[in-house]
Amino acid sequence: FAVTDPALASAKESLMYLIGHLGEFETKPEWLKGRNDILSELCEAAEFGRLSQKEKENYLMSEQDEIQWMNTLEDEKLEAREEGLAEGRAEGRAEGKTETARNFKALGVDVDIICKATGLSAEEVAAL
C-alpha cells in the first residue's frame, strides 16, 4: 500500500508506514513532531537505538541529571513553603500577643500582669 501523507493516514497505515521506513529517517519525521503517541515513541526508540554506546550512556546520564534537578527544585520549593508557613505562624503569634497586651492595657490591667500573660517586656507594653 502507499501512503502519500502519513499525517492524514489512519493509525494503522501510519504505523505500517513508519515501520517500513524507520531506517530512512535521520530524525523524527515532520509529521510526527508535536505528537505524543505510540508512533512518536517508536520513532524516538529507533533514534535511541542508532546511538553509539557512549552516546546512549551520555543520554541516560543527562536524563538522570534532569530528574535529579527537578527533584531538587521540588525539595527547595517545599522547604521554602515550610519556612514561609513557620514565619507566618511566628508573626501571627507575635501579633496576637501585641493585640492581647493592647486590650489588657485598655482595660487598665497592671503592666506586670500583662507582661506575664503575653511574654512581652514592660518596654514593649509601654510602647502600645
Side-chain angles (χ1 to χ4, degrees):
F1 77 103
V3 176
T4 56
D5 187 354
L8 300 176
S10 70
K12 182 179 177 182
E13 289 170 332
S14 295
L15 177 60
M16 297 304 290
Y17 180 86
L18 186 60
I19 291 171
H21 294 86
L22 205 51
E24 300 169 14
F25 302 125
E26 290 291 321
T27 60
K28 186 186 289 188
E30 198 63 39
W31 58 276
L32 277 176
K33 291 185 179 170
R35 289 178 63 160
N36 191 18
D37 59 8
I38 191 70
L39 298 177
S40 183
E41 290 180 31
L42 178 62
C43 194
E44 289 171 9
E47 287 176 355
F48 182 78
R50 284 200 245 358
L51 298 176
S52 70
Q53 186 61 32
K54 186 66 176 169
E55 290 171 323
K56 287 177 183 176
E57 289 171 7
N58 289 341
Y59 175 82
L60 292 173
M61 292 276 286
S62 71
E63 288 286 309
Q64 289 173 348
D65 288 345
E66 185 175 343
I67 290 169
Q68 186 175 3
W69 181 73
M70 295 299 285
N71 287 339
T72 299
L73 283 179
E74 287 301 315
D75 290 346
E76 288 175 357
K77 286 196 304 190
L78 181 60
E79 187 177 310
R81 183 176 184 272
E82 289 172 354
E83 287 176 11
L85 288 173
E87 287 176 16
R89 284 191 292 271
E91 288 176 14
R93 283 191 296 272
E95 289 174 10
K97 288 179 181 183
T98 302
E99 185 63 29
T100 299
R102 189 176 288 119
N103 291 339
F104 281 160
K105 190 174 179 183
L107 292 171
V109 175
D110 184 71
V111 172
D112 288 335
I113 294 173
I114 296 173
C115 292
K116 287 178 185 175
T118 63
L120 297 176
S121 69
E123 292 80 23
E124 291 172 313
V125 173
L128 298 175

